[in-house]
Structures are given as C-alpha cells and as structure tokens.
Amino acid sequence: MTDIIERLRTLPPQTNLDTILISCVEMGASRIHLQTDSSLKIRVHGRNYAAPGQRLRWTNTEVSQALAKMYKSSTGPSRLSQAMAIDTSYVIWPDRAKRRYGFRLNAVACTIGSNDGIGIILRPLPEKPIPLEEQYVEPKLAEALDGESGGYLICGVTGSGKTTLMGGVTRQRLEDPDCHCDIVEGAAPLELFYDLIEQNNASIQQTEIPRQLANFPDFIRAAVREEPTDINIGECRDTETMAATIQAIISGHRTMTSVHTNDPAATIRRVVSLCPASDRDNLAIAFVDNLKLIVNQRLLRSTDGRRTAIRSFLPFNRKIREALLDAPQTRWPNMVRGFVEEYGQTFEQSIKDVHAQGRISDKIAGRAMKELD
C-alpha cells in the first residue's frame, strides 16, 4: 500500500496523460478514475488508492482535454453534454518494439457538488489474452469448452473476468495447430487483440460495434455470410441481439457470447426473457436444443494479494437438453440449478477447491460461502 501511494506521489503532471496511464498499469491498476475536481484514483487487486493531497487533482478543462485526446476527437466533451455516454477503447503504443497498453474507456457527464463535470473510467487490458492455464481453468471446464458447434455462454457481473476468460478460449483455439478455425468477433468496444498471438492454422477478424458496424444484429447477419467456424459476440444485452445470436447458434456455428448474470440458473432465465415475446417459445427451445455450456465466474481476493476466479458451470449433454425441452420453461431455472449440482460445478464446490489449493484464505472462503446464502 505504501509503495503504491509513493508511486502515485511521483506521477508527472496532467499534461503527461499517457505516462500517467502507463504508470498506473505498471502498479497493477484494474481501474483508473479521472473526474473533475478530484484526485486521480486507482483500484489495484480490489483495493482503492488516491493520489495524496492535491496531487493530480483534475480541473474540468484538464479532464476535457484528456477525453478529447483519448476519444481522438474534440467532440467528446460536447457528446457528454448532450446526455450521451462514451464507451470506446484507447491504445498507447509508444515503441513498436515494446509493450502495447490498451484500455476500455467509459465517460459520462456527472455532478460534483452543485457543478457539472466529467467522469472517466479506464480499465486496463492485457497486451495479449491470458492463457487458460494461467486462469486456473478447471480440467472439466476446459473439456466442456472444447467443442466445434453450439452455444457457449460466459457469464458474470461487470468486472468478473468474462472478457478475460473469453479471450483465453479464443487464444487457445488460434494457437492450437489442430484447430482449423476461422473466427469472426464483434465487441463494443474491442478490448482484446490477437495480432501478437501466433495463429497456426486459424484466423480471426474483429469488428468494433458501433464504430464499424451499427449493432450486434448487423454484425451477426454479416458474420454468418462469411463462412466462419466461430462467431464471438461481446455481449447479449437486448432482444434483437439475443434473437440474432440464437440464429447463429442453430445455423451450426460455434457461438460464444456473454450475459450479465449471477449463476447458471439466472442465466437460463435471462436468456429466455431476452427472446422477443412474439417468438419466445420457439427461440428458447432452439437455444436449449443447441446449448453446450454455461459458465458463471466471480473474482475473490487471493492469498497473493491479487484476485482469483471461482466458477459455477454446467456442460449441457443430451440428457439435460431433453429434460429441459420436456418441461415448462418456468421450471428451467430450478432444473438447471439441480443439474449444476449433478453434472457441473457449483460456486460452493469451486470455493472449497480454490481454498484447498491455498489460493484464498479462510476468511475470504468463509465470507464467499456466506454470500451464497
């Protein structure tokens, strides 16, 4: 803690934005907060730190200039003033022979006291997607992820590592010389890049939404015409995207996407609710009939001061799919909860395993167990 505060104390002035951001990444920041009339704040392995005193206290002009630089347009601040949010990416690559620094950028207009201001959140992204073995992916889950068709849902709340897990899966498929895959991926924005990954007998084409295509349904419609083996969809958050995603799944493509949910039972409920009401029954049945995996992930503070994942997941076999299809949709969430215990892995099991491996402390394990109640 003292080391981080001291390093915050020695950061350069606001005019050196890129140097500040790179320094925050080197400190291990997972979240960087710039806000009008506030000091720089960062989050490192689940703990918050602020630049001491008046150090790096940003004026509205300085925040506006920072946003214009990262948005690559002077229209950024005016966009916020029109009650529109900015959700994009920002990349720093000062030396092509050295590391590239990527960030997900979210900016909104906000209120500070009685005044209007700007709030910017930057979430640093890894230069390369993290391999699955470094994410402690369970052997049973790794086996379930190894399929060539159907739907794969990677779920969790914001900041739970969904994108990281999806990136690891994609990296593994690209690096596997026996996996002759052609992946098309759409995300809003793109957070992970694969140009530094060796693509042995595979390819990937990435499209940013809405900068390069207006929305996910447009991306999916274009993708299915490009003869891909895999379609990766950054997130299903509305009825149009869910309907298009299910069409991609049933057309024979391996389709991977994310949904904001807490556990597999909530995921199946959320998917059904996102299907358009006019065709909900047919789409929900088609989805379940082609579903291969639901995995939900959460992050806990680990014994090394960082964070580690716990997961609840359910690989879908023919028996599970037929049982669901023979039952009313209202029963699906409870049935999935039972199937997770019988065929998959519960959060409780994951906590016990991670604790036994020494990756989380007794205190963290106990607290996580209580939160499951």
Side-chain angles (χ1 to χ4, degrees):
M1 175 177 176
T2 303
D3 178 59
I4 292 176
I5 292 175
E6 286 303 314
R7 293 173 71 177
L8 285 170
R9 195 187 305 276
T10 61
L11 287 176
Q14 284 86 332
T15 51
N16 295 60
L17 177 65
D18 286 357
T19 303
I20 292 172
L21 296 179
I22 290 173
S23 297
C24 291
V25 173
E26 298 298 341
M27 290 182 222
S30 60
R31 183 179 191 269
I32 304 168
H33 188 189
L34 312 178
Q35 182 175 267
T36 301
D37 292 335
S38 299
S39 296
L40 171 76
K41 296 180 176 65
I42 65 174
R43 188 170 180 84
V44 181
H45 305 314
R47 300 289 179 88
N48 292 331
Y49 302 89
Q54 297 296 309
R55 184 79 182 134
L56 290 180
R57 190 176 185 88
W58 297 71
T59 66
N60 200 58
T61 298
E62 289 167 338
V63 178
S64 295
Q65 290 172 343
L67 177 59
K69 173 181 172 64
M70 293 185 288
Y71 191 53
K72 299 183 180 66
S73 172
S74 59
T75 63
S78 63
R79 180 182 176 88
L80 302 188
S81 68
Q82 297 171 36
M84 293 186 288
I86 290 176
D87 184 10
T88 187
S89 57
Y90 180 58
V91 177
I92 304 171
W93 203 357
D95 186 340
R96 296 291 165 140
K98 297 182 180 179
R99 180 177 174 177
R100 176 174 62 195
Y101 297 84
F103 303 84
R104 179 163 185 172
L105 185 157
N106 298 88
V108 295
C110 60
T111 300
I112 300 95
S114 58
N115 300 317
D116 291 335
I118 294 173
I120 301 174
I121 305 295
L122 293 120
R123 292 163 58 191
L125 305 168
E127 183 181 25
K128 296 180 181 180
I130 300 172
L132 293 181
E133 57 267 23
E134 294 182 19
Q135 299 186 50
Y136 298 99
V137 169
E138 300 86 342
K140 186 175 180 179
L141 176 56
E143 181 181 356
L145 286 164
D146 187 23
E148 298 303 321
S149 65
Y152 297 78
L153 273 63
I154 313 296
C155 308
V157 300
T158 300
S160 59
K162 299 185 299 297
T163 300
T164 300
L165 182 55
M166 291 176 71
V169 173
T170 300
R171 174 175 178 169
Q172 178 167 285
R173 290 180 65 75
L174 290 172
E175 290 181 325
D176 182 356
D178 295 324
C179 183
H180 291 251
C181 61
D182 294 300
I183 303 171
V184 291
E185 178 174 285
L190 291 171
E191 298 183 294
L192 300 176
F193 303 100
Y194 301 90
D195 54 312
L196 303 180
I197 299 299
E198 184 177 357
Q199 299 173 23
N200 293 302
N201 295 314
S203 70
I204 185 167
Q205 175 178 288
Q206 295 180 279
T207 299
E208 185 163 276
I209 313 298
R211 186 171 64 86
Q212 294 169 318
L213 277 174
N215 52 55
F216 283 110
D218 283 354
F219 160 74
I220 296 168
R221 281 189 287 269
V224 296
R225 294 192 292 266
E226 295 170 359
E227 200 179 345
T229 58
D230 300 38
I231 300 177
N232 292 350
I233 300 150
E235 182 183 347
C236 276
R237 66 180 76 174
D238 55 56
T239 57
E240 286 188 334
T241 302
M242 181 57 70
T245 298
I246 293 173
Q247 292 299 327
I249 292 172
I250 65 177
S251 63
H253 300 89
R254 176 192 163 97
T255 305
M256 182 168 63
T257 189
S258 68
V259 182
H260 278 67
T261 54
N262 284 319
D263 57 42
T267 299
I268 203 78
R269 183 186 300 111
R270 177 64 172 159
V271 169
V272 172
S273 71
L274 281 176
C275 291
S278 59
D279 200 22
R280 179 164 294 157
D281 288 347
N282 290 334
L283 285 173
I285 289 169
F287 170 75
V288 167
D289 201 27
N290 292 274
L291 182 58
K292 294 296 182 67
L293 175 70
I294 293 176
V295 52
N296 280 77
Q297 179 167 289
R298 303 176 188 178
L299 296 179
L300 298 179
R301 188 167 183 82
S302 52
T303 50
D304 62 2
R306 300 175 181 272
R307 291 189 295 173
T308 194
I310 57 169
R311 302 183 183 95
S312 177
F313 59 85
L314 176 62
F316 282 72
N317 57 33
R318 182 183 298 275
K319 182 177 180 179
I320 293 173
R321 288 193 290 267
E322 290 180 351
L324 291 172
L325 294 175
D326 287 340
Q329 293 176 15
T330 54
R331 290 187 54 206
W332 287 1
N334 284 335
M335 292 176 69
V336 165
R337 189 172 289 111
F339 287 139
V340 168
E341 295 180 358
E342 185 175 358
Y343 296 102
Q345 175 176 278
T346 65
F347 276 121
E348 181 179 13
Q349 292 168 330
S350 182
I351 293 167
K352 290 178 179 178
D353 289 345
V354 171
H355 180 243
Q357 294 165 16
R359 286 159 49 199
I360 58 175
S361 66
D362 295 346
K363 180 179 180 181
I364 294 297
R367 182 183 302 166
M369 284 293 192
K370 288 182 180 178
E371 290 179 353
L372 296 178
D373 294 335

